[in-house]
Amino acid sequence: IIAELENFDFELFLKITNFQMTISKPDNQILSLESGNNLFTDEMKKVIETLDIGTKIIFEEIDAVGPGGQKMRLEPLELTLK
């Protein structure tokens, strides 16, 4: 996962240091998984491969570090599989 800030005079990328991925299936089953860096874990990859249409994937508790070492928490991102 890479965070890029848009509408800046120059490209600014943030380094993701950890995030939580929450899966909300159409049958209301919920699963939360955490990554301690910017990469999907093996478990996350396996779960993603099995998801059905209508499943929501929410990336939250996204922590990042900017170029100057400033730590920040990013807004959640929600996707629905179609």
Side-chain angles (χ1 to χ4, degrees):
I1 295 179
I2 298 173
E4 177 182 357
L5 298 179
E6 296 180 344
N7 301 320
F8 272 63
D9 292 336
F10 54 91
E11 287 188 353
L12 178 61
F13 293 94
L14 305 174
K15 180 180 179 186
I16 304 300
T17 57
N18 61 280
F19 66 94
Q20 178 176 314
M21 183 179 79
T22 301
I23 306 293
S24 178
K25 295 184 177 183
D27 64 0
N28 295 321
Q29 186 179 14
I30 295 177
L31 173 65
S32 290
L33 302 166
E34 293 184 20
S35 174
N37 54 42
N38 66 323
L39 303 174
F40 291 118
T41 64
D42 288 341
E43 185 178 9
M44 287 176 172
K45 292 175 189 176
K46 287 178 186 174
V47 169
I48 289 170
E49 290 175 357
T50 68
L51 297 179
D52 296 321
I53 292 173
T55 299
K56 290 183 182 180
I57 303 175
I58 303 138
F59 297 98
E60 52 196 344
E61 298 185 23
I62 307 166
D63 292 327
V65 176
Q70 180 183 4
K71 296 179 182 180
M72 60 193 78
R73 169 80 40 110
L74 304 180
E75 293 294 318
L77 172 67
E78 182 175 318
L79 307 170
T80 302
L81 300 181
K82 297 193 178 218

